Structures are given as C-alpha cells and as structure tokens.
C-alpha cells in the first residue's frame, strides 16, 4: 500500500519532527539583520541552567544565503531554520526563494519557492506546516495572499486569504490557531487595529472576537503567545490623531482568550491594559518568549531617529521591565529572531558561553 506524506492530517503532523536522541543540544537565539543585506547573523546562547535568560555575549556567523537579501523572514519548524522571501538589495526585485538549514546535519538545502514573491509579510509554523501571510509584492501592491508550506511534500499551497490585504502586520500562534494584528492595507495608509484569527482545520479567517478590535493601532510591532490563553502585543509604530504624525508606541497589552469584553470587577478582561510602558519604544524589533520573560532586541525609534542598542526583557509575572545588556556595533534597526537548537558537536557555532555563566556580573 502506497504511503503519501501529504495525506497526513494537520493535527498529527507536528509529531513528525526529526528526533535528536543521543545528541547534546544547546539552544540559541538568532538575530537577523533584515535591513542591510549583510550575510552576518548574530546569535546569543540561552542559559542552559536558567532557560529564561540570555547570555550577554553576542556571537556572529555568516549565512551566505542571505547576502544582498533584505525584508526576508526566518521561521523554525521541526528544529530546521527556514529563510523565506524578501527583496534583492541591489536591484529591488521581490524574491520567492526559500532556504532550509538543518543544524543536525549542518547542511543547507533549497526548498520550493513561494508562489508569490513578497516581503513585509508575517510567517508562522503550526502543526507541521509553515504559513506565509500577506506582505508587499511588485508594483508596491499589498496582498491578502496566504500560502502554506508542506515540508514533507516540499510544496506551497494557497489557502484562505486574509480578510483584507496586509503588510507590516504581526502574528503569533496559540492553541492551534494563528493570530494576526495591525499592519497596513496600502503603502500610503496609516496602521490599523484589526485582530484576526485563523482556524487551519476549517481554513477560515475571522475576527478573534466578533466586533472587538485591538486596543491600539499598530504596525511593525510584535505579538507573543503565552501559555494557552494569552497574547501580548508590544512595540511598533502608531499614528497620533492630534498631530497627524507617526509615533513610537510604548503601551503593552495582552489579550485573554475567554476574557470578558466589559472589563467587569472580578472577571478576567478581554484586553488587559494594566502593564507598564516599554523603556525603549521602537518598531521593527525582535521579540521572543523565554520562560516568563519576553526579550526584546533592537529596532528603530521613529521619534528619535536612532536604533535601540539595549536588550530589554519584560517579566510577565512581576509586570516589570528591565534593561539587560547593551548591543555591540552592528545594524539592529530592522531585526527578526528565531530560536534554534544546535548540536554541541557542531563546531561552526560557539557553545563555550555555557562555561562562563557564573562570571556575568550582570546577573
């Protein structure tokens, strides 16, 4: 009887991750410069003793696949890194290419390209698939197109489009769904406060809560899923209705699945706004959840016209921001990040930081 990988149901595919049995693995946070076309990728080691914190030592490796590429997006599926789409730095051509890096084999391979070349899109991995959502395409068009990548069949398939075209939006996954917020529908339009949810089983997009929008208008911001019921929204660029100008957004909010829209005493609110503002407001920064801390790296302060050169973290439990450590020289105005586990035997990556963790006076 013939076995077709493509016939495996969505709910079962996440169990097909390649095993790492017998390999000593260390987790790293990779930070990608999406603005300059540099092949240099920075990475920080996650403390193996305290997985909620980063070591404040930045390492660098060259990924030749992204030389002269800007506006691409990284995503990790089954502990393989995928670098998707973007724009050619030299000629401005939109790119559809997809590169895959397997750290267990320490090998790069070329995957099937996107059907629609794009940049400024959102990307998520869910249940064994990769979803690419919206973005900017040729002729300065913003698209509602959503493509799903099947790594077992090496195939992209068009699925239900976004409710409206979007670029510079944010996304995250939570409890088997994809959530998308904010962004712009036209390169000449200001940002929005849409808040959508995608059901991959039924292939349907809808408002996350009927008639309920995000409390802030945002673009170039971050969304972080926490646990099974919370989504944090932070950073990004907004629009000042009084001065009719763009501005950095410092407010933080989180969405509660099952929350009450009326914010009644004793009930969990749908949107919890009771969070301290960010220390360094910015857009186009990277954000990642480690334990109970949301780590924020890089970005650009639109108001000040300067890049953010301090790594900060937000303690979700204590609701407290802290500066962690400064960033060294380099471009961090438009960055993205990805968590990837690397075998200790892979000498291309530095894992020596683990021997120095007790020397960091910061901690």
């Amino acid at each position: 009887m013939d076995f077709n990988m493509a016939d495996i149901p969505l709910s079962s595919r996440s169990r097909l991750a390649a095993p790492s049995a017998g390999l000593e693995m260390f987790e790293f946070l990779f930070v990608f410069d999406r603005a300059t076309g540099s092949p240099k990728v920075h990475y920080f080691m996650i403390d193996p003793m305290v997985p909620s914190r980063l070591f404040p030592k930045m390492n660098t490796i060259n990924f030749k696949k992204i030389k002269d590429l800007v506006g691409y997006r990284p995503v990790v599926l089954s502990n393989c890194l995928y670098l998707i789409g973007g724009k050619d730095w030299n000629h401005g051509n939109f790119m559809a290419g997809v590169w895959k890096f397997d750290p267990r084999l320490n090998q790069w391979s070329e995957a099937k390209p996107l059907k629609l070349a794009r940049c400024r899109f959102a990307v998520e991995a869910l249940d064994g698939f990769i979803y690419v959502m919206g973005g900017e395409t040729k002729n300065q068009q913003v698209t509602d197109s959503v493509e799903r990548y099947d790594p077992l069949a090496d195939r992209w398939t068009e699925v239900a489009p976004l409710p409206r075209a979007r670029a510079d939006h944010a996304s995250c996954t939570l409890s088997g769904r994809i959530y998308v917020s904010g962004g712009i529908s036209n390169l000449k339009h200001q940002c929005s406060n849409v808040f959508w949810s995608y059901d991959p089983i039924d292939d349907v997009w809808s408002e996350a809560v009927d008639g309920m929008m995000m409390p802030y208008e945002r673009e170039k911001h971050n969304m972080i899923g926490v646990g099974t019921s919370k989504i944090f929204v932070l950073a990004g660029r907004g629009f000042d209705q009084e001065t009719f100008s763009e501005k950095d957004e410092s407010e933080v909010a989180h969405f509660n699945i099952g929350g009450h829209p009326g914010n009644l005493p004793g009930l969990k609110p749908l949107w919890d706004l009771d969070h301290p503002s960010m220390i360094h407001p910015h857009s186009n920064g990277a954000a990642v959840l480690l334990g109970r801390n949301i780590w924020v790296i890089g970005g650009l302060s639109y108001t000040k016209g300067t890049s953010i050169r301090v790594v900060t973290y937000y303690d979700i439990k204590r609701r407290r921001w802290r500066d962690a450590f400064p960033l060294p020289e380099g471009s961090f105005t438009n960055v993205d990040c990805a968590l990837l586990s690397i075998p200790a035997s892979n000498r291309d990556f530095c894992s020596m930081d683990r021997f120095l963790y007790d020397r960091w006076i910061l901690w």
Side-chain angles (χ1 to χ4, degrees):
M1 181 177 182
D2 292 336
F3 177 65
N4 188 350
M5 287 288 195
D7 293 334
I8 298 174
L10 273 65
S11 59
S12 302
R13 297 173 65 89
S14 59
R15 291 176 286 200
L16 295 175
S20 298
L23 288 177
E24 184 182 19
M25 308 284 285
F26 294 107
E27 193 167 25
F28 295 89
L29 178 66
F30 288 80
V31 180
F32 298 87
D33 168 18
R34 301 188 300 160
T36 67
S38 170
K40 293 182 178 180
V41 176
H42 307 301
Y43 63 97
F44 298 90
M45 189 174 190
I46 310 299
D47 188 341
M49 305 297 291
V50 185
S52 62
R53 73 185 185 191
L54 294 175
F55 286 135
K57 178 177 178 293
M58 190 179 78
N59 301 287
T60 303
I61 189 170
N62 282 341
F63 285 171
K64 296 180 180 179
K65 309 302 181 185
I66 55 173
K67 186 179 186 301
D68 297 326
L69 187 66
V70 297
Y72 61 91
R73 294 298 303 267
V75 67
V76 173
L77 176 63
S78 301
N79 201 47
C80 286
L81 172 68
Y82 293 80
L83 302 176
I84 302 174
K87 203 172 183 180
D88 180 81
W89 172 259
N90 296 308
H91 306 291
N93 297 326
F94 289 88
M95 309 300 288
V98 179
W99 289 98
K100 173 186 175 182
F101 175 68
D102 187 335
R104 288 153 294 203
L105 302 176
N106 200 26
Q107 290 181 355
W108 286 94
S109 58
E110 191 170 6
K112 194 76 170 181
L114 292 164
K115 290 179 174 293
L116 179 64
R118 64 184 86 192
C119 67
R120 301 170 70 175
F121 55 90
V123 61
E124 295 294 338
L126 180 64
D127 289 338
F129 292 96
I130 294 173
Y131 293 83
V132 165
M133 299 159 282
E136 180 191 357
T137 64
K138 64 181 180 179
N139 300 323
Q140 295 187 318
Q141 295 296 309
V142 176
T143 182
D144 61 1
S145 163
V146 178
E147 296 183 45
R148 183 181 70 201
Y149 178 67
D150 180 349
L152 302 179
D154 188 28
R155 180 174 63 203
W156 288 95
T157 303
E158 292 186 12
V159 294
L162 294 167
R164 291 188 293 281
R166 275 293 173 272
D168 294 335
H169 45 305
S171 64
C172 71
T173 62
L174 191 73
S175 298
R177 285 176 174 259
I178 297 175
Y179 290 82
V180 165
S181 69
I184 56 176
S185 59
N186 184 297
L187 298 186
K188 298 180 180 179
H189 288 182
Q190 66 189 57
C191 56
S192 67
N193 61 348
V194 301
F195 190 59
W196 299 323
S197 170
Y198 175 70
D199 182 342
I201 304 299
D202 293 334
D203 189 26
V204 172
W205 287 93
S206 61
E207 291 184 333
V209 177
D210 289 343
M212 180 64 67
M213 312 296 279
M214 188 169 59
Y216 308 115
E217 295 179 343
R218 296 283 171 96
E219 63 172 324
K220 303 180 177 72
H221 56 297
N222 304 106
M223 291 175 67
I224 301 290
V226 177
T228 59
S229 62
K230 295 181 180 179
I231 296 175
F232 278 75
V233 177
L234 62 155
R237 190 177 300 175
F239 191 79
D240 191 322
Q241 298 292 345
E242 295 183 359
T243 62
F244 296 98
S245 61
E246 294 178 310
K247 63 173 183 174
D248 298 321
E249 292 288 1
S250 62
E251 294 88 354
V252 178
H254 85 256
F255 173 76
N256 288 304
I257 293 180
H260 194 281
N263 295 335
L264 299 178
L267 296 178
K268 185 185 301 183
L270 191 63
W271 281 101
D272 189 332
L273 310 183
D274 189 22
H275 293 277
S277 297
M278 300 184 71
I279 302 174
H280 309 286
H282 64 273
S283 57
N284 277 333
V288 65
L289 179 69
L290 298 177
R292 72 183 194 185
N293 296 327
I294 297 176
W295 288 79
V296 180
I297 301 173
L300 174 70
S301 169
Y302 179 81
T303 303
K304 297 179 180 179
T306 58
S307 60
I308 304 301
R309 309 201 67 84
V310 179
V311 175
T312 61
Y313 66 91
Y314 183 61
D315 186 323
I316 296 171
K317 185 175 181 180
R318 296 180 180 178
R319 300 199 178 203
R320 184 176 64 185
W321 283 101
R322 287 289 184 268
D323 283 343
F325 54 87
L327 287 168
E329 292 300 316
S331 174
F332 298 96
T333 60
N334 184 349
V335 294
D336 205 346
C337 66
L339 286 168
L340 191 66
S341 294
I342 304 291
S345 58
N346 190 334
R347 302 304 181 186
D348 289 346
F349 299 90
C350 177
S351 59
M352 297 300 291
D353 296 353
R354 70 188 190 276
F355 297 118
L356 303 175
Y357 73 92
D358 57 346
R359 298 187 180 183
W360 298 118
I361 59 175
L362 171 72
W363 308 114

